[in-house]
């Protein structure tokens, strides 16, 4: 049985902007990293049920990298994204429209390689980067 973890944030931006910056590859590459020594040099996103996504994550020094990829299982524009990762773990992202702000709750099943707390910190760091990027982006 997988452990499910939820990370959350409130973004000072309307849900339409949050959705756009979350789902468009040209924006994903600007915020999808857990630390400043990593980046996302490429992203592909076919945002529809059974559509695939792939974000390449890499250390800026070139020492390591991997593809974060999966297949969408449920999409409700401005509300919900669900997908299954390549290792069959499930992820659910709920977007709550709070008017001028948007609440994001991202629930993911943990993997068995890294400690659970490290996974929580990594996913939260990526979400925090998204918040920071979105609130700066005009």
């Amino acid at each position: 049985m997988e452990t499910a973890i939820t990370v959350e944030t409130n973004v000072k931006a309307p849900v339409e902007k949050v959705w756009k910056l979350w789902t468009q590859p040209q924006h994903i590459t600007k915020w999808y990293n857990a630390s400043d020594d990593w980046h996302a040099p490429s992203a592909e996103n076919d945002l529809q049920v059974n559509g695939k996504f792939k974000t390449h994550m890499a250390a800026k020094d070139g020492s390591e990298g991997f593809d974060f990829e999966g297949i969408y299982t449920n999409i409700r524009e401005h509300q919900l994204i669900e997908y299954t990762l390549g290792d069959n773990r499930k992820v659910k992202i709920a977007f709550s429209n709070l008017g001028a702000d948007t609440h994001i709750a991202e629930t993911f099943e943990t993997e068995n390689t890294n400690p659970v707390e490290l996974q929580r910190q990594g996913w939260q760091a990526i979400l925090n980067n998204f918040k920071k990027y979105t609130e700066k982006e005009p």
Side-chain angles (χ1 to χ4, degrees):
M1 167 97 183
E2 302 293 339
T3 299
I5 292 176
T6 300
V7 294
E8 304 177 76
T9 194
N10 277 330
V11 180
K12 293 182 186 334
V15 71
E16 294 82 6
K17 177 182 178 183
V18 166
W19 185 266
K20 181 177 91 169
L21 300 188
W22 187 275
T23 61
Q24 292 182 352
Q26 68 269 31
H27 293 290
I28 294 168
T29 57
K30 306 261 190 335
W31 61 264
Y32 208 95
N33 60 291
S35 64
D36 290 341
D37 52 344
W38 279 70
H39 66 146
S42 66
E44 302 166 20
N45 195 22
D46 182 15
L47 187 65
Q48 61 180 332
V49 172
N50 295 320
K52 296 179 182 178
F53 69 88
K54 177 167 70 173
T55 302
H56 186 71
M57 301 177 76
K60 287 182 179 175
D61 67 7
S63 62
E64 56 185 312
F66 64 94
D67 289 332
F68 182 80
E69 56 190 322
I71 297 176
Y72 292 111
T73 56
N74 192 6
I75 306 283
R76 287 203 314 265
E77 189 176 29
H78 301 157
Q79 297 175 28
L80 179 73
I81 296 173
E82 293 179 319
Y83 57 83
T84 302
L85 294 169
D87 60 5
N88 287 320
R89 292 184 296 131
K90 308 278 189 267
V91 179
K92 175 182 176 181
I93 307 143
F95 301 84
S96 300
N97 183 345
L98 306 175
D101 294 356
T102 303
H103 180 79
I104 302 171
E106 186 172 19
T107 303
F108 65 96
E109 294 177 346
T110 59
E111 38 90 350
N112 297 318
T113 306
N114 295 294
V116 169
E117 188 53 34
L118 184 66
Q119 293 177 65
R120 177 192 316 275
Q121 291 169 2
W123 285 66
Q124 185 68 57
I126 292 169
L127 191 56
N128 293 347
N129 279 344
F130 175 78
K131 172 184 169 69
K132 187 168 53 176
Y133 174 75
T134 302
E135 291 177 353
K136 285 190 328 198
E137 185 69 14

